[in-house]
Amino acid sequence: MSEESNSSEENKLTRLNKFISNAGVTARRKADELIFTGRVTVNMQTVTEPGTKVNPDKDVVKVDGEKVRPLTEFIYVVLFKPRGYVTTTHDEKGRPTVMDLIGLNTRLYPIGRLDYDTDGVLLLTNDGEFSNMMMHPRHKVFKTYFAKLDKPIEEADMRKLREGIMIDGKPTSRAKVRIIPNTADQNIWISIHEGRNRQVRRMLEELGYMVQRLKRVEYARIGLDSLKPGEWRYMTEEELRDARKLATPKMPVFRKPEEAGEGGKKDKKGGKKKKKKDKKKKIKITDTAVEPSTGSDVLESISKELEDISEKISDTKE
Ligand code: URA
């Protein structure tokens, strides 16, 4: 019954009799009978052909007027959030919300937030456990952003971002950051795994930069693919599996105090003891942003912004 034609939509389509029996209403043959005898409606229309294809996420199937709910209703969506939309289910100021872009019957919730002025990958689901896996800082699931700054970034500031920036009296976790190759030095990839309010903008503001453009290009390495602003797709099985793998709790890394730069062992004279294998033990903060796995596509999609570095996008507050 669905008119959507993209392939992920087609994968979702299922025969009406199968849908009814899978939902636990009755056995397949009995479902056929229900359909033949006109007791089944799809989107308010009586359907008498058991092989009619329905989309469990979009089509409303009723038997004797009772809505049939699939047993497994978890849905995972990737939305290209455009700028000018809020990431809430309802906005008091009446601004458009990301929910306006997704016409599914199921109630979905965004996994984390994107500012009104930030666009890019927004994941949505009704699976609370998955959402938690993606968002909890313990799982260290990275999100990668393209940021265009008002001026070229200094090497020393990139180091600071990698070490952590103090915001709201608490240091941020180490970001991965890198100037986008072959572009101006004010275009960077930055990856973080926390989700504090306006975190990327505020980290950069702390260092004296204005973020003129911010686009999330990946979340758990899930990118936009060919989506255009405002469009969405279902997450693929592979993306879902890989995202779960990424979120598997990491082994804690224990560091000796001297390596962590706190205190450090003292020699008998009270001076700092010299480490023998300095090179091995030294913690190097050389993390650079993992380039988005869809790097070249992303570069293509943001090429206009990369070329037009004089573009000024007002940083309207939500
Ligand atoms: N950091 C920000 O500053 N804004 C976002 O929308 C996401 C991350």
Side-chain angles (χ1 to χ4, degrees), residues 113-115 118 145 198-201 214:
R113 292 161 40 98
L114 281 181
D115 299 334
T118 304
Y145 299 82
R198 300 176 73 83
Q199 181 164 339
V200 172
R201 292 177 197 269
L214 189 63

Side-chain angles (χ1 to χ4, degrees), residues 235-265:
M235 219 181 272
T236 65
E237 291 287 328
E238 198 181 5
E239 284 173 331
L240 192 56
R241 196 183 52 235
D242 291 349
R244 286 203 163 102
K245 259 193 227 158
L246 276 179
T248 307
K250 315 287 181 295
M251 290 291 285
V253 180
F254 295 106
R255 285 185 280 147
K256 291 181 182 173
E258 73 267 28
E259 288 176 328
E262 292 160 14
K265 277 189 184 167

Side-chain angles (χ1 to χ4, degrees), residues 31-73:
D32 287 348
E33 269 178 49
L34 292 173
I35 297 165
F36 285 136
T37 52
R39 291 168 62 188
V40 177
T41 57
V42 179
N43 303 332
M44 314 281 276
Q45 285 181 335
T46 303
V47 173
T48 53
E49 170 48 55
T52 303
K53 291 283 175 55
V54 291
N55 182 331
D57 300 329
K58 291 187 171 173
D59 296 324
V60 179
V61 177
K62 291 185 180 174
V63 173
D64 295 334
E66 283 283 312
K67 188 174 176 210
V68 179
R69 292 175 199 283
L71 287 180
T72 50
E73 279 194 328

Side-chain angles (χ1 to χ4, degrees), residues 105-128:
N105 290 325
T106 318
R107 208 169 159 76
L108 295 179
Y109 301 91
I111 301 181
R113 292 161 40 98
L114 281 181
D115 299 334
Y116 186 72
D117 280 338
T118 304
D119 62 352
V121 177
L122 183 71
L123 307 181
L124 299 102
T125 186
N126 53 354
D127 180 348

